[in-house]
Amino acid sequence: MIKFKNFWKVGFGIAAVMLLCGTGVDAQKECGATGSTQSEITIKNELKFDIEIRFLKPDCSEDRGSTVGAKREIKVGGFEGHTYRIYENWTDRVLTEVKFKSGQLIYPVKGFEASAIDAKKKRCSRDGDPRPMLIRNATGRLIDVRFVDKDCREQKGPVIAPGKQAGARSFVNNVFRAYDLASGSFISEFAIRPTQRNYVIGGVADPLPEQSFLKTVNAFRAYYKIEPLRLNDTLTETCRWFADFMATQDKMHAGHLASEFTPSSKFRNMNTPTQRLLSFGWKRSKAADNIEVTAAVRVEDKDLIGGYLAMEWSSSTTHFKPFYDLYRTRYAQVGFAAVASKSDPDLYYGCAMFAND
């Protein structure tokens, strides 16, 4: 819930909002009008880019609020007549205004397209709260990451290899840009969000999570001249069972045992990765060399679930080896599955299992 200074002393009630279309709305003249009805509403960002919500004070100045990620929502409160101004977070472009009015509880922000890249690149960094962050390279090339200071000048940052990551501390709303190191071409730009720690550059989007995973992994394997992996149905079905099991329990099973939080007698031949593989028809003689990795990640763009989980493992210090053929066994096949948490639709439990021919 957003807290605005000089404003959050109000209680909660029920009210709604009214869309004032365009960027030159006349309601700006009313600014932070007060009323007798206390209210709480939900602002839903249905756009494909982040927005920023600012409260208009009685003198028509703005109190900076919070960033709302793409496809996410947030609750705000106030008196009937209070007005919020909605901006595109990248560029400070005014999208619309939200004015409290009784009769409606949910306000969707929709119908706007993101600014072009050239417009986005005009944005500079701001002050904010420091927080740890990780930048991950899901492309098949070296990337040059640069920090954009308050004067809109770019400061040199790390060069990140494909499949790897770089860590740092930064401020919320600070801006970073990624470039192809070889050509200098612009790839993408992002601003640090209050609730996000991991930022992935690239990644192959696909509505099928297993294809997003496979294409992302093979893109950076190609950079290291490693043979591409092939998706295996039996490995995938085995992973899907365990990913669904973790999502149902809403718990990570770091030990890869179904019995980690439940007595093993309930699972018979499904407790260990090898038992699960054999139950789904894998040959016993080939089961000893298989490797299973698991993780849980928060993903807003559903077409990038596989790519985000691939980077969670490949850029880690504990699960990276099978992605780069650093074990004695050279893996040729992989299975992958991701299942949404039963309590949080943006949290995905993932499993990948590697095997040779």
Side-chain angles (χ1 to χ4, degrees):
M1 191 168 290
I2 303 179
K3 294 186 178 180
F4 299 93
K5 65 181 181 179
N6 305 325
F7 174 60
W8 196 248
K9 296 180 180 179
V10 301
F12 294 114
I14 297 177
V17 293
M18 178 175 67
L19 171 62
L20 305 173
C21 300
T23 59
V25 289
D26 292 337
Q28 294 179 30
K29 298 175 182 177
E30 298 181 19
C31 302
T34 60
S36 59
T37 304
Q38 296 178 349
S39 52
E40 181 187 40
I41 63 170
T42 299
I43 297 179
K44 298 182 68 174
N45 179 11
E46 297 185 5
L47 304 173
K48 294 182 179 180
F49 54 89
D50 295 358
I51 60 174
E52 183 178 341
I53 301 173
R54 303 180 192 174
F55 170 65
L56 296 188
K57 296 186 288 188
D59 62 0
C60 291
S61 63
E62 295 179 348
D63 224 358
R64 192 172 295 277
S66 288
T67 299
V68 182
K71 306 298 182 181
R72 300 188 71 83
E73 64 183 45
I74 197 165
K75 292 185 184 296
V76 295
F79 286 103
E80 183 177 352
H82 274 151
T83 301
Y84 287 100
R85 195 167 290 156
I86 311 297
Y87 288 81
E88 180 181 35
N89 195 39
W90 294 103
T91 62
D92 284 348
R93 173 172 63 111
V94 178
L95 300 177
T96 187
E97 288 185 355
V98 175
K99 184 176 180 181
F100 282 42
K101 186 177 180 181
S102 60
Q104 187 178 346
L105 296 176
I106 298 175
Y107 172 73
V109 180
K110 58 184 179 180
F112 299 96
E113 296 294 329
S115 297
I117 286 177
D118 287 344
K120 289 183 180 181
K121 291 178 65 176
K122 295 177 181 178
R123 188 179 179 199
C124 312
S125 292
R126 309 171 184 170
D127 290 325
D129 299 321
R131 59 180 290 107
M133 57 173 287
L134 292 170
I135 304 173
R136 292 169 169 167
N137 179 5
T139 74
R141 47 193 169 157
L142 292 169
I143 62 172
D144 175 18
V145 178
R146 305 174 193 174
F147 168 68
V148 185
D149 64 24
K150 294 179 183 179
D151 298 320
C152 292
R153 294 174 299 193
E154 294 181 347
Q155 306 295 330
K156 190 166 182 59
V159 172
I160 308 176
K164 303 297 184 179
Q165 68 183 20
R169 288 185 65 84
S170 189
F171 292 100
V172 171
N173 289 321
N174 275 353
V175 177
F176 292 82
R177 295 178 190 149
Y179 295 84
D180 180 287
L181 184 66
S183 67
S185 60
F186 176 79
I187 300 174
S188 65
E189 177 181 275
F190 63 91
I192 304 303
R193 297 178 181 177
T195 59
Q196 185 174 344
R197 184 172 183 265
N198 301 325
Y199 299 85
V200 176
I201 307 299
V204 181
D206 196 292
L208 297 175
E210 60 270 25
Q211 289 299 323
S212 173
F213 170 85
L214 185 70
K215 293 172 184 177
T216 299
V217 171
N218 283 339
F220 63 72
R221 282 172 69 97
Y223 172 83
Y224 298 106
K225 297 181 169 40
I226 305 172
E227 289 295 317
L229 293 167
R230 305 189 310 274
L231 202 64
N232 180 280
D233 290 342
T234 302
L235 296 173
T236 295
E237 287 302 311
T238 304
C239 267
R240 185 170 289 114
W241 184 93
F242 195 48
D244 183 71
F245 176 77
M246 290 188 293
T248 300
Q249 292 205 334
D250 231 350
K251 292 180 179 178
M252 264 299 298
H253 289 57
H256 302 274
L257 300 177
S259 63
E260 201 161 330
F261 301 100
T262 311
S264 59
S265 58
K266 290 189 175 184
F267 301 104
R268 296 183 182 179
N269 298 323
M270 301 294 282
N271 191 33
T272 69
T274 299
Q275 287 175 334
R276 293 191 286 271
L277 263 178
L278 296 175
S279 294
F280 279 95
W282 197 255
K283 292 182 180 179
R284 182 174 295 275
S285 60
K286 299 168 60 177
D289 288 330
N290 294 311
I291 294 292
E292 180 186 78
V293 294
T294 57
V297 298
R298 190 171 300 281
V299 183
E300 295 177 3
D301 187 340
K302 307 311 181 202
D303 288 348
L304 284 171
I305 294 167
Y308 270 60
L309 277 159
M311 292 306 304
E312 183 76 13
W313 292 313
S314 71
S315 63
S316 73
T317 59
T318 55
H319 292 73
F320 65 95
K321 288 187 177 181
F323 290 86
Y324 305 99
D325 277 0
L326 297 178
Y327 284 119
R328 172 177 53 85
T329 301
R330 298 294 185 263
Y331 296 107
Q333 303 181 77
V334 69
F336 172 81
V339 178
S341 161
K342 303 307 178 186
S343 62
D344 184 345
D346 291 333
L347 180 65
Y348 283 80
Y349 290 88
C351 169
M353 186 169 280
F354 296 80
N356 56 12
D357 290 327

